[in-house]
Amino acid sequence: MADTTRDRILEAAYRTLVRRGYHETSMKDIAEEAGVAPGLAHYYFESKEHLLVETIRHGCAPLVEEWHQRSAGTPAGLEEAVEIGREGLEMQKGELKRHLELFRLIFDLFGVGLHNPRIGAAVQEFVAEDRERIASVARAVMAAAGQPSRVQPDAIAAVIWASLNGITLQKLINPEFDADEAIDALWEMIATFIAAHSGAAALKAS
Amino acid sequence: MADTTRDRILEAAYRTLVRRGYHETSMKDIAEEAGVAPGLAHYYFESKEHLLVETIRHGCAPLVEEWHQRSAGTPAGLEEAVEIGREGLEMQKGELKRHLELFRLIFDLFGVGLHNPRIGAAVQEFVAEDRERIASVARAVMAAAGQPSRVQPDAIAAVIWASLNGITLQKLINPEFDADEAIDALWEMIATFIAAHSGAAALKAS
Amino acid sequence: MADTTRDRILEAAYRTLVRRGYHETSMKDIAEEAGVAPGLAHYYFESKEHLLVETIRHGCAPLVEEWHQRSAGTPAGLEEAVEIGREGLEMQKGELKRHLELFRLIFDLFGVGLHNPRIGAAVQEFVAEDRERIASVARAVMAAAGQPSRVQPDAIAAVIWASLNGITLQKLINPEFDADEAIDALWEMIATFIAAHSGAAALKAS
Amino acid sequence: MADTTRDRILEAAYRTLVRRGYHETSMKDIAEEAGVAPGLAHYYFESKEHLLVETIRHGCAPLVEEWHQRSAGTPAGLEEAVEIGREGLEMQKGELKRHLELFRLIFDLFGVGLHNPRIGAAVQEFVAEDRERIASVARAVMAAAGQPSRVQPDAIAAVIWASLNGITLQKLINPEFDADEAIDALWEMIATFIAAHSGAAALKAS
DNA sequence: TATGAATGAGCGTTCATTCAT
DNA sequence: CATGAATGAACGCTCATTCAT
């Protein structure tokens, strides 16, 4: 998976940042983990900040890939739209199991972004993109549901993004935390909400 | 409120940590803000980490106070229980406006705790306590609602805690983010969920 | 001469900067020469730049002292004014012998100032002050000479400052250079100039 | 004028060194400016120091050219010799306007040479050559003036070289400095000196 | 000739922490 | 309790130089 030296550094950064966090990881640590000279990391990456962002991008690539494959066309009806949403949550469950480390890195990014303008900008963009993925599904569902609601799909998407990330945070803080149960509960709330806003008693959740 | 030197340091730490974040704040900065010698902070606090934890405890005190005052007895009926939940969300809106800085500090704490066992333990305790406050309301509401649900009140509380913190995070990341709208949307979802699980069409949200 | 630690660092800096020059001297070199920990130099001096400026100030102090003692009152007549100028040049001869190292440092300062705004400002001020000392004598002489000249005393002062520093530069570049002879030649030119602008054949140079 | 790669590097070095100074310029900067790989500069030039010396030699070439053209034969009489000197100063005025950057580079060279033997040797040679140009005129003038002076033409040349360089330094340090006025004042002094040493009231300066 | 990846020593600076007073 | 000088390790980063291709 690591053809180029650049990739080797990126992957060494991934491992080291995940293990120790942004502030406890030095460029030298990363270079050492990659088995290269200390100066080389700066040859490929302008600064430690840039390396962090690139590392996360690199780590997210497979997830983004997977997501794009899944969200092929526009959903046909309510049922299909709901199904996409449901699947999205299931996917998140899996990611939380397989890539929890990546989320640790992302929360590091959030933390750094809170006090560092350059990273802050990258974080904002990242979050907006992520939330938009949810929002597009939310819009599809609510459009198909017909019965208009007081709340905008984008606000719902913000809540769902918030929930998912808050759940991740709890899992990160306490590995014993049952994230699956929480995601299921979230789905119940979403499903109930959709049911209440579509004509029928329609949904047989999960 | 700051009688002792220890308190002066604590409050100086609060101001400084909030303004600049944990990693960008030095012990010297804090001592300077407190108007004491750099060495003195180490007389009262074992290390910078310990000071961080104590500072947040100190900073949260008024909020905890307020919350305890509000949640005096056990709610009498569904309507009262719901009202308490509703009020809780309204309170959060206010806190997001008046104490956003504190949340920045808390997310700093989360970040540090993710890679630092000592802080990690404090964070876990902190989160558990915070979520329990929500859970107690959730339990009251669901008990009053009568119609039992597939999902446990604690799972619901986890979702709500997640949402609230996720919303806070979005607000922190992007000050333009409309947290009020998101909290309102969250309430709609909660209210719908309660309505669906209580006999009547009961709730006239907000 | 070195009571305080600060002074010890200043003097270590003087020795090291003179020997190796600003760019070849590291803060660690200076700390080592002073026999203190590497961090301590930054405790007393904000940056390497500041330390350079302070070091020169410290090195110049005795010279400035000497100069102030000498230039007590305003000269009474032409002859006295001329005498002061003549003495100034003699003094410079002595300084070139006793403090050549200091001038090496000052030329370093000039060099750094040419590419560094902060130092550049300090250098400008330094030069202006230095030239003013010459200008005040020049003004006194030309006022006493009576016969007004096409050239301003300040322009003459600029030339004399230039000559003195250019002579110093030559001495620095080539220790064999006969600075005394050059300064004598400079005096001949100055004396001739004064003579031509005062009524009489007055001056019996040197 | 830049046929060979070597020349391209030399000219890129000139532009970059002038703009940023020796210590603020990296070999990479120069290579980039020249549009070649970083390693190539070391193929043509043994080290950064060597490149600096060669660059100045290269940069001075047109000035040296111009000077050689002007000083064709030996001057016929006093008036012609004086005229050559006068012209030299006028030329310097022009160079200070057109090539101030070059002088910045030269002072950089002086600075480096003060602490670096290899460069120091090159500087000494450079200065000797430069001063000799002035000395040859001074000798011609003083020979033609007839009335022998206590001071040697070479000492006078040293003073004039000093003045010119000191004036340049002032201009470099403070761009507002009126170098023309200073050079004019220098000429007044020189002219007065010549007049005093030639029989007649001869000179109508400038 | 020319490339550019790679090296590794070294830089200025920061800072939690200690300790003599 | 309180001071603040002193420590020393570590940091992000730069850069002249080398060398396989």
Side-chain angles (χ1 to χ4, degrees):
Chain A
M1 194 179 269
D3 287 346
T4 67
T5 300
R6 195 189 130 101
D7 282 344
R8 264 181 43 222
I9 293 171
L10 234 21
E11 276 149 33
Y14 185 86
R15 289 191 301 274
T16 314
L17 287 169
V18 160
R19 201 183 314 127
R20 299 224 277 270
Y22 182 75
H23 289 287
E24 312 322 313
T25 296
S26 74
M27 292 298 274
K28 256 165 186 147
D29 290 339
I30 293 171
E32 198 173 330
E33 171 85 21
V36 299
L40 198 60
H42 279 97
Y43 180 80
Y44 287 104
F45 304 95
E46 202 177 317
S47 71
K48 195 187 171 187
E49 290 174 8
H50 284 78
L51 177 51
L52 172 62
V53 176
E54 289 298 301
T55 299
I56 290 176
R57 234 199 276 289
H58 191 81
C60 287
L63 267 56
V64 171
E65 192 82 9
E66 195 183 343
W67 181 267
H68 275 141
Q69 279 180 350
R70 198 172 294 251
S71 60
T74 16
L78 176 59
E79 232 160 288
E80 196 184 334
V82 168
E83 183 55 25
I84 286 175
R86 172 74 199 157
E87 262 178 23
L89 291 205
E90 284 305 315
M91 236 175 88
Q92 182 79 1
K93 280 192 197 173
E95 280 164 13
L96 241 33
K97 283 188 193 87
R98 288 195 312 279
H99 302 292
L100 188 58
E101 7 146 85
L102 175 58
F103 290 104
R104 191 181 302 272
L105 209 47
I106 289 173
F107 269 91
D108 243 9
L109 184 74
F110 289 165
V112 176
L114 251 29
H115 300 286
N116 174 323
R118 211 204 312 278
I119 300 278
V123 166
Q124 248 185 67
E125 198 187 329
F126 179 87
V127 169
E129 220 173 83
D130 202 33
R131 203 175 43 206
E132 175 53 27
R133 295 200 317 223
I134 298 172
S136 69
V137 179
R139 280 193 292 267
V141 169
M142 291 180 82
Q147 222 147 302
S149 160
R150 228 176 332 208
V151 300
Q152 299 300 315
D154 279 26
I156 293 290
V159 171
I160 295 175
W161 186 95
S163 287
L164 257 14
N165 280 82
I167 288 167
T168 301
L169 181 56
Q170 288 175 83
K171 182 75 184 169
L172 245 19
I173 287 170
N174 178 8
E176 320 260 289
F177 177 76
D178 190 339
D180 282 4
E181 191 191 22
I183 290 179
D184 286 339
L186 173 60
W187 175 247
E188 288 294 329
M189 290 179 64
I190 294 172
T192 307
F193 190 75
I194 297 172
H197 287 81
S198 61
L203 278 5
K204 285 168 286 281
S206 118
Chain B
M1 192 179 268
D3 287 345
T4 69
T5 300
R6 196 188 128 101
D7 281 345
R8 266 188 33 228
I9 293 173
L10 236 20
E11 275 151 34
Y14 181 83
R15 288 192 300 273
T16 313
L17 287 169
V18 155
R19 205 181 311 126
R20 301 225 276 271
Y22 180 74
H23 291 287
E24 277 63 45
T25 296
S26 72
M27 292 299 273
K28 216 171 185 170
D29 290 337
I30 293 171
E32 199 171 319
E33 173 84 21
V36 301
L40 199 59
H42 277 91
Y43 177 81
Y44 286 107
F45 305 95
E46 198 179 321
S47 70
K48 195 185 169 189
E49 289 175 9
H50 284 79
L51 177 51
L52 173 63
V53 178
E54 291 298 303
T55 299
I56 289 179
R57 242 200 270 288
H58 192 83
C60 287
L63 267 56
V64 171
E65 192 83 10
E66 194 181 347
W67 182 266
H68 276 141
Q69 280 181 350
R70 196 171 296 251
S71 61
T74 16
L78 176 58
E79 232 159 287
E80 196 184 333
V82 168
E83 184 54 26
I84 287 175
R86 173 71 197 160
E87 263 179 20
L89 293 205
E90 284 304 316
M91 235 177 88
Q92 183 78 2
K93 279 192 199 172
E95 281 164 12
L96 242 30
K97 281 186 194 92
R98 288 196 311 279
H99 301 294
L100 190 58
E101 9 148 88
L102 174 59
F103 290 105
R104 191 181 303 271
L105 199 48
I106 289 173
F107 269 92
D108 244 11
L109 184 76
F110 289 164
V112 176
L114 250 29
H115 302 285
N116 174 322
R118 196 180 350 254
I119 302 277
V123 166
Q124 248 185 70
E125 195 188 329
F126 177 88
V127 169
E129 222 173 81
D130 200 34
R131 202 175 44 208
E132 175 53 26
R133 297 198 316 222
I134 297 171
S136 69
V137 178
R139 279 192 294 267
V141 168
M142 292 180 81
Q147 221 147 303
S149 159
R150 228 172 335 201
V151 300
Q152 298 300 315
D154 278 27
I156 292 291
V159 171
I160 294 175
W161 185 95
S163 283
L164 256 15
N165 279 82
I167 287 167
T168 301
L169 182 55
Q170 288 174 84
K171 183 72 184 170
L172 245 17
I173 286 170
N174 178 7
E176 320 259 289
F177 177 75
D178 190 339
D180 282 4
E181 190 191 23
I183 291 179
D184 286 340
L186 173 60
W187 176 248
E188 289 293 329
M189 291 178 65
I190 294 172
T192 306
F193 190 74
I194 298 173
H197 288 79
S198 62
L203 279 3
K204 284 169 287 286
S206 118
Chain C
M1 195 181 269
D3 286 346
T4 68
T5 301
R6 196 189 128 101
D7 282 344
R8 269 192 26 233
I9 293 172
L10 235 19
E11 276 149 33
Y14 184 87
R15 289 192 300 275
T16 314
L17 287 169
V18 160
R19 200 181 317 127
R20 299 224 277 270
Y22 182 75
H23 289 287
E24 313 322 315
T25 297
S26 74
M27 292 297 274
K28 256 165 189 151
D29 290 338
I30 293 171
E32 198 173 330
E33 172 84 20
V36 298
L40 199 60
H42 280 96
Y43 180 79
Y44 287 105
F45 304 94
E46 200 177 319
S47 70
K48 194 186 172 185
E49 289 174 8
H50 284 79
L51 177 51
L52 172 63
V53 176
E54 288 299 300
T55 299
I56 290 176
R57 234 199 279 287
H58 191 81
C60 287
L63 267 56
V64 171
E65 193 82 10
E66 195 182 343
W67 182 265
H68 274 143
Q69 280 180 350
R70 195 169 296 251
S71 59
T74 17
L78 176 58
E79 230 159 290
E80 194 182 335
V82 167
E83 183 55 25
I84 287 176
R86 171 74 198 157
E87 262 179 23
L89 291 205
E90 284 304 317
M91 233 175 90
Q92 183 79 2
K93 280 192 198 171
E95 281 164 12
L96 242 32
K97 281 185 194 90
R98 287 195 314 279
H99 300 293
L100 189 58
E101 11 148 80
L102 175 58
F103 290 105
R104 192 182 300 274
L105 209 46
I106 288 173
F107 269 91
D108 241 10
L109 185 73
F110 289 165
V112 176
L114 252 28
H115 300 285
N116 174 322
R118 208 198 323 271
I119 300 278
V123 166
Q124 250 186 65
E125 199 187 328
F126 179 87
V127 169
E129 222 174 82
D130 202 32
R131 202 176 42 208
E132 176 53 28
R133 295 200 317 222
I134 298 172
S136 69
V137 179
R139 280 194 292 266
V141 168
M142 292 181 79
Q147 219 147 305
S149 161
R150 222 175 334 202
V151 299
Q152 299 300 316
D154 279 26
I156 293 289
V159 171
I160 295 174
W161 186 94
S163 287
L164 256 15
N165 280 83
I167 288 167
T168 302
L169 182 55
Q170 288 175 84
K171 182 76 183 169
L172 245 18
I173 286 169
N174 178 9
E176 321 260 288
F177 177 76
D178 190 338
D180 282 5
E181 189 190 24
I183 290 179
D184 286 339
L186 173 61
W187 176 247
E188 288 294 330
M189 290 179 65
I190 294 172
T192 307
F193 190 75
I194 297 172
H197 287 80
S198 63
L203 281 3
K204 287 168 286 287
S206 117
Chain D
M1 194 180 267
D3 286 346
T4 68
T5 300
R6 196 189 129 101
D7 282 345
R8 267 187 34 227
I9 294 172
L10 236 21
E11 275 152 34
Y14 181 83
R15 288 191 300 273
T16 314
L17 287 170
V18 156
R19 205 181 309 127
R20 301 225 275 272
Y22 180 73
H23 288 102
E24 277 62 46
T25 296
S26 72
M27 292 297 273
K28 217 172 184 169
D29 291 338
I30 293 172
E32 199 171 319
E33 173 84 20
V36 301
L40 199 59
H42 276 92
Y43 177 82
Y44 286 106
F45 305 94
E46 199 178 321
S47 71
K48 196 185 168 186
E49 288 174 10
H50 284 78
L51 177 52
L52 173 62
V53 179
E54 291 298 304
T55 299
I56 289 178
R57 239 200 272 289
H58 192 84
C60 288
L63 267 56
V64 171
E65 193 83 9
E66 195 181 346
W67 182 267
H68 274 143
Q69 279 181 353
R70 196 170 296 249
S71 60
T74 15
L78 175 58
E79 229 159 291
E80 196 183 335
V82 167
E83 184 54 27
I84 287 176
R86 171 75 197 155
E87 262 179 22
L89 292 206
E90 284 303 317
M91 233 175 91
Q92 183 79 1
K93 280 192 199 173
E95 280 164 13
L96 241 32
K97 282 186 193 91
R98 285 196 314 279
H99 301 294
L100 189 58
E101 9 148 90
L102 175 57
F103 290 105
R104 191 183 303 272
L105 199 48
I106 289 173
F107 269 92
D108 243 12
L109 184 73
F110 289 165
V112 177
L114 250 28
H115 300 285
N116 175 322
R118 194 176 358 250
I119 302 276
V123 166
Q124 248 185 71
E125 194 188 331
F126 178 87
V127 169
E129 220 173 84
D130 202 32
R131 202 176 43 208
E132 176 52 27
R133 295 198 317 221
I134 298 172
S136 70
V137 179
R139 280 193 294 267
V141 168
M142 292 181 79
Q147 220 148 302
S149 160
R150 225 175 335 204
V151 298
Q152 298 301 314
D154 278 26
I156 293 289
V159 172
I160 294 175
W161 185 94
S163 282
L164 256 13
N165 279 84
I167 287 167
T168 301
L169 182 55
Q170 288 175 86
K171 182 74 183 168
L172 245 16
I173 286 169
N174 178 6
E176 321 259 289
F177 177 76
D178 190 340
D180 282 4
E181 190 191 24
I183 291 179
D184 286 340
L186 173 60
W187 177 247
E188 288 293 329
M189 291 180 65
I190 294 172
T192 306
F193 190 74
I194 297 173
H197 287 80
S198 64
L203 278 3
K204 284 168 286 285
S206 117

